[in-house]
Amino acid sequence: MNEYGTLHESNGRYALRFERFLHQNPEDVFLVITKISSFSQWYPFATGEMDIRIGGKIAFDDGEGTRYEGIITELDKPYVFGFREVDDLINISLQEEDQGCRMIFTHTFNDDSWAVNTATGWHRCLEVLVQIINGKPIQWNDNSAKLREIYSDAFRMEP
């Protein structure tokens, strides 16, 4: 498994896909992913307001005066959590495996001009999510420039 995300194109839309193997079972990981207090620590702009049900809303605030809502579109405890954030789709699926589970995080969007920067951001956010799942203190690594270079090369695009 590659620790870096991959970019895919289908029907004029793009998807960033990340995989992480976790030593915890899907039930425990799902609880961390959907727990309001931990979600707002790793997910960008999340305010900590979330109604965990199909059609439930997730509140976001970009910190610059823009507030908006996401809508939960998929919820199959403890295996799938998906929602629409404006025009983008976020899907987190958990697959049971020996001694843990595989988390597959997919972000589907329209404009590939942001793919390098978006992949860099998700890479960093998922690093923090894994820290939270593992019960470690949160540490945001100063690796954005290096990650932008890696994703720029991998996707053959400029950041």
Side-chain angles (χ1 to χ4, degrees), residues 58-111:
I58 305 171
F60 296 98
D61 184 337
D62 71 359
E64 297 178 5
T66 302
R67 291 184 57 88
Y68 58 98
E69 293 179 336
I71 303 293
I72 297 174
T73 57
E74 295 179 87
L75 189 64
D76 181 13
K77 297 175 185 179
Y79 299 107
V80 179
F81 178 55
F83 57 95
R84 176 177 299 282
E85 184 181 346
V86 188
D87 293 328
D88 296 359
L89 296 173
I90 303 294
N91 179 281
I92 304 168
S93 65
L94 302 170
Q95 300 171 352
E96 220 164 317
E97 292 192 4
D98 289 340
Q99 301 178 3
C101 70
R102 179 172 310 278
M103 177 180 70
I104 301 170
F105 178 97
T106 307
H107 175 188
T108 304
F109 54 98
N110 293 323
D111 182 0

Side-chain angles (χ1 to χ4, degrees), residues 96-151:
E96 220 164 317
E97 292 192 4
D98 289 340
Q99 301 178 3
C101 70
R102 179 172 310 278
M103 177 180 70
I104 301 170
F105 178 97
T106 307
H107 175 188
T108 304
F109 54 98
N110 293 323
D111 182 0
D112 71 336
S113 68
W114 286 93
V116 170
N117 289 325
T118 303
T120 297
W122 284 132
H123 190 108
R124 297 182 73 233
C125 290
L126 294 174
E127 286 177 343
V128 169
L129 174 58
V130 170
Q131 292 168 17
I132 295 168
I133 290 168
N134 289 327
K136 307 278 184 191
I138 294 173
Q139 179 180 355
W140 289 91
N141 294 319
D142 185 16
N143 57 356
S144 295
K146 179 181 179 192
L147 289 169
R148 274 193 298 276
E149 183 179 315
I150 289 168
Y151 285 114

Side-chain angles (χ1 to χ4, degrees), residues 22 24-42 50 52 75-81 92-94 101 103 129 132-134:
L22 304 162
Q24 295 80 1
N25 64 46
E27 292 83 1
D28 292 341
V29 173
F30 191 87
L31 285 174
V32 171
I33 289 170
T34 58
K35 184 178 176 183
I36 295 167
S37 60
S38 58
F39 185 78
S40 61
Q41 292 179 45
W42 70 272
M50 182 168 24
I52 306 285
L75 189 64
D76 181 13
K77 297 175 185 179
Y79 299 107
V80 179
F81 178 55
I92 304 168
S93 65
L94 302 170
C101 70
M103 177 180 70
L129 174 58
I132 295 168
I133 290 168
N134 289 327

